[in-house]
Amino acid sequence: MSAATSRASATKERILDVAERLFAEQGVFAVSNRQISEAAGQGNNAAVGYHFGTKADLLRAIVRRHAEPVEANRERLLGEIGDSREVRDWLTCLVLPSVEHHASLRGSTLARFTAQLMSDPGLRELVVAESLSGPTLMRVMDGLNHCQPDLPLRAKIVRNDMTRHVLVHMMAEQERALAEGTARLTWEETAQNVIDALTGLWLAPVTE
């Protein structure tokens, strides 16, 4: 890798770090590309556009760089559980890779950033396309369905939506508590509590 390429790569990573933090703290639509460039120490205020294009492209790049390691971790866990018929095993494959990735990021704002995107109708599909439609997630959902063949489709749809909300927003709450110094649980404890709760959710009886 040439020195110029290395510098460009470092600049892009710096912009991604700063953009994620500013979006999480101030809101996606409250932060301009110019502000991001300045906060990232770029003398050229058009640096964000030069390296990433539009704001949507920048958001997509932030989501994508975190989605890849989570997918890799989930692939490993799926290999360990094989064709399990235990709901908890599949939910562990869903939750643990995401939580472990968040725990590996010192001072991260990723969870709060993601929660913002998922709460906005115009940005939600970006997250779904980049990180919630991967092949490992499809295998998790297939596994859950395999464990509960008699669960009505209407219940599966609602429980899938509830699972996504619990995971996204509980991680955001844990991240916020850690940043504020008020956390009562570690990331590992949070993961196990979320898995417990979601297991109960998926195994709950269905009212006819």
Side-chain angles (χ1 to χ4, degrees):
M1 180 184 295
S2 68
T5 301
S6 180
R7 285 195 300 272
S9 179
T11 297
K12 291 176 71 172
E13 288 299 310
R14 173 62 177 161
I15 289 172
L16 290 172
D17 288 339
V18 169
E20 180 185 303
R21 175 177 58 80
L22 291 179
F23 288 148
E25 293 174 349
Q26 301 179 32
V28 171
F29 297 107
V31 179
S32 68
N33 284 359
R34 180 188 181 94
Q35 289 173 300
I36 295 169
S37 295
E38 291 176 350
Q42 300 303 303
N44 181 358
N45 290 327
V48 172
Y50 173 78
H51 287 287
F52 295 100
T54 66
K55 178 173 283 188
D57 293 327
L58 174 61
L59 294 170
R60 190 172 293 108
I62 295 171
V63 174
R64 187 176 295 161
R65 76 166 176 165
H66 292 294
E68 292 171 356
V70 172
E71 277 281 305
N73 287 338
R74 188 172 290 121
E75 183 73 40
R76 173 181 52 80
L77 286 180
L78 285 168
E80 293 174 3
I81 69 168
D83 295 323
S84 174
R85 296 299 296 268
E86 297 294 326
V87 167
R88 185 182 179 89
D89 285 343
W90 294 100
L91 290 170
T92 297
C93 289
L94 173 69
V95 174
L96 199 56
S98 294
V99 175
E100 286 181 340
H101 180 63
H102 283 77
S104 72
L105 305 171
R106 291 184 177 274
S108 172
T109 52
L110 171 61
R112 285 166 287 176
F113 165 76
T114 303
Q116 280 201 43
L117 298 192
M118 290 298 293
S119 298
D120 185 281
L123 299 175
R124 179 180 176 277
E125 290 307 313
L126 184 152
V127 181
V128 171
E130 294 296 334
S131 67
L132 298 181
S133 301
T136 61
L137 274 178
M138 297 302 101
R139 286 165 59 190
V140 167
M141 298 316 299
D142 286 344
L144 284 171
N145 290 333
H146 184 62
C147 290
Q148 298 178 288
D150 298 326
L151 189 66
L153 178 59
R154 58 184 170 81
K156 290 178 181 178
I157 292 172
V158 172
R159 293 179 190 195
N160 181 54
D161 289 342
M162 293 170 70
T163 297
R164 183 177 62 252
H165 283 290
V166 169
L167 183 56
V168 168
H169 293 287
M170 282 304 300
M171 287 197 293
E173 286 301 315
Q174 172 68 4
E175 186 181 84
R176 181 179 295 107
L178 286 168
E180 295 173 352
T182 59
R184 291 175 291 179
L185 301 176
T186 64
W187 275 113
E188 181 179 1
E189 291 168 334
T190 298
Q192 294 307 317
N193 276 277
V194 169
I195 293 168
D196 288 343
L198 292 179
T199 300
L201 171 68
W202 278 91
L203 294 178
V206 178
T207 301
E208 296 298 333

